[in-house]
């Protein structure tokens, strides 16, 4: 989280780094799958908006045939981890 430093995503998980980058480049922003999301601190709102539990707007869920695809604004996840992470 760019505001709190909390770990939101860990990628790749269940796919290669190359596959993660290819999907992200194809869609124009980092695209995370369910296995890569820290669900303790990330939520998908009913309208598809993706937010942290601290209220940071992260992007949107744009599901496809493979399942949830969280398309995340890079600036929302940029930053330094907090010292407690």
């Amino acid at each position: 989280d760019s505001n709190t430093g909390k770990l939101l995503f860990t990628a790749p998980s269940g796919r290669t780094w190359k596959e993660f980058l290819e999907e992200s480049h194809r869609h124009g922003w980092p695209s995370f799958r369910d296995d890569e999301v820290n669900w303790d601190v990330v939520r998908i709102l009913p309208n598809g908006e993706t937010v942290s539990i601290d209220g940071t707007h992260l992007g949107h869920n744009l599901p496809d045939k493979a399942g949830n695809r969280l398309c995340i604004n890079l600036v929302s996840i940029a930053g330094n981890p907090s010292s407690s992470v």
Side-chain angles (χ1 to χ4, degrees):
D1 187 311
S2 59
N3 290 311
T4 66
K6 291 179 181 174
L7 180 66
L8 302 171
F9 306 97
T10 303
S13 179
R15 57 183 171 164
T16 67
W17 181 248
K18 181 180 178 184
E19 291 167 330
F20 170 77
L21 289 177
E22 286 174 351
E23 181 175 57
S24 295
H25 286 252
R26 189 169 53 252
H27 296 290
W29 45 71
S31 297
F32 297 93
R33 297 296 179 162
D34 284 339
D35 289 346
E36 299 167 328
V37 180
N38 179 358
W39 291 111
D40 291 335
V41 294
V42 175
R43 299 290 182 267
I44 300 172
L45 302 181
N47 66 358
E49 181 183 6
T50 303
V51 298
S52 75
I53 61 169
D54 295 296
T56 304
H57 171 81
L58 303 173
H60 291 86
N61 181 32
L62 302 172
D64 61 14
K65 64 183 177 184
N68 286 327
R69 181 169 52 91
L70 282 67
C71 299
I72 303 302
N73 302 328
L74 187 58
V75 71
S76 299
I77 56 173
N80 297 315
S82 69
S83 59
S84 64
V85 173

